[in-house]
Amino acid sequence: AIQQSDLFAKCGGKGGPSKLVSLLEISDSAIHTIYNVLFGVREILECQNFNPIYTSLVYGAVCISGVNGLSWIFFTSLSMAVFSMIMVTLRVAIYEY
């Protein structure tokens, strides 16, 4: 066990233990403040807060924009194929006559 005289000797005189106690009180207050801030951040970052945002973004990107993009790619490729066949067919007609 630590005696009060040991604290006086190690902490530097009469004001030593009271300085140590006040320093520990300040440290305790700072640690509790940091804990409360981190707990608040954890509550903000919970799944129930981000799930609606994520769902709406992914649904909009995949189900709406993705389908529109794939339809544009399909119809562009189809029209390129049709016009390429027409071009190849008409090229032969130009060189024969």
Side-chain angles (χ1 to χ4, degrees):
I2 297 176
Q3 300 296 325
Q4 190 172 6
S5 60
D6 294 335
L7 284 175
F8 285 139
K10 294 200 187 248
C11 294
K14 285 188 171 185
S18 64
K19 288 180 184 177
L20 179 64
V21 169
S22 65
L23 178 68
L24 290 175
E25 287 174 350
I26 292 171
S27 299
D28 182 57
S29 173
I31 289 171
H32 280 291
T33 303
I34 292 171
Y35 173 77
N36 290 335
V37 167
L38 291 177
F39 191 76
V41 169
R42 190 187 117 219
E43 286 179 351
I44 290 172
L45 296 177
E46 284 182 346
C47 184
Q48 64 187 2
N49 294 331
F50 280 101
N51 191 23
I53 298 168
Y54 175 76
T55 303
S56 65
L57 287 176
V58 170
Y59 179 80
V62 173
C63 296
I64 296 171
S65 299
V67 172
N68 288 339
L70 287 175
S71 64
W72 273 101
I73 290 171
F74 173 74
F75 288 116
T76 303
S77 300
L78 181 66
S79 60
M80 282 175 48
V82 168
F83 288 117
S84 296
M85 292 300 220
I86 291 171
M87 185 176 64
V88 168
T89 303
L90 293 178
R91 183 185 67 90
V92 173
I94 291 174
Y95 288 118
E96 284 189 15
Y97 298 108

